[in-house]
Amino acid sequence: QRRSNREMTNAITGVTVAGGLAQIKWPQLTNLGAKHTSSIMAGQWWRLFTPLVLHGSPLHFACNMFSLQSVGPALESWYGPERTLGVYLVAGACGNLASCYAHMHGLSVGASGAIAGLVGAL
């Protein structure tokens, strides 16, 4: 049954906005939460998820949030809020894991992999 709601899309956006504001107030959060391959391999598994709420610039943030607001409600209407969150988190973690193999060095942040997963699930 199709439902028209945005509760999870808005919740994800809210958490990401909070992450962005925290990143502005405490810039060191970028280093502590970004995808960093050797840190993930050393057991810092949360770095597969924390990059989803961190962004490299205001434009990067704005593009990801626009994309999330464009795609998220459609997915929620098909799959519901819980599955939408599941797809978002699994796709984001898988995107960061793939990035570990493609880019072994340096830091990366953003929700593009998670949003691409939402698009793929449609």
Side-chain angles (χ1 to χ4, degrees):
Q1 174 185 357
R2 281 189 168 185
R3 297 186 306 200
S4 177
N5 68 47
R6 309 172 62 86
E7 66 186 64
M8 190 55 67
T9 300
N10 290 339
I12 293 168
T13 301
V15 169
T16 307
V17 167
L21 292 173
Q23 191 178 9
I24 291 167
K25 184 165 176 68
W26 299 290
Q28 67 271 25
L29 285 178
T30 302
N31 289 332
L32 295 172
K35 192 262 332 164
H36 183 250
T37 301
S38 60
S39 296
I40 292 169
M41 298 302 187
Q44 295 181 14
W45 56 268
W46 61 86
R47 288 180 181 264
L48 294 173
F49 298 97
T50 52
L52 303 179
V53 300
L54 302 172
H55 287 82
S57 71
L59 180 60
H60 182 206
F61 172 82
C63 288
N64 275 342
M65 293 305 94
F66 175 79
S67 299
L68 174 61
Q69 288 294 318
S70 297
V71 174
L75 196 70
E76 276 193 77
S77 71
W78 280 98
Y79 297 112
E82 295 84 9
R83 287 188 178 150
T84 298
L85 178 61
V87 170
Y88 186 84
L89 293 175
V90 169
C94 288
N96 283 322
L97 192 58
S99 177
C100 285
Y101 292 102
H103 306 285
M104 297 296 285
H105 305 288
L107 302 173
S108 67
V109 293
S112 299
I115 294 166
L118 295 179
V119 172
L122 285 175

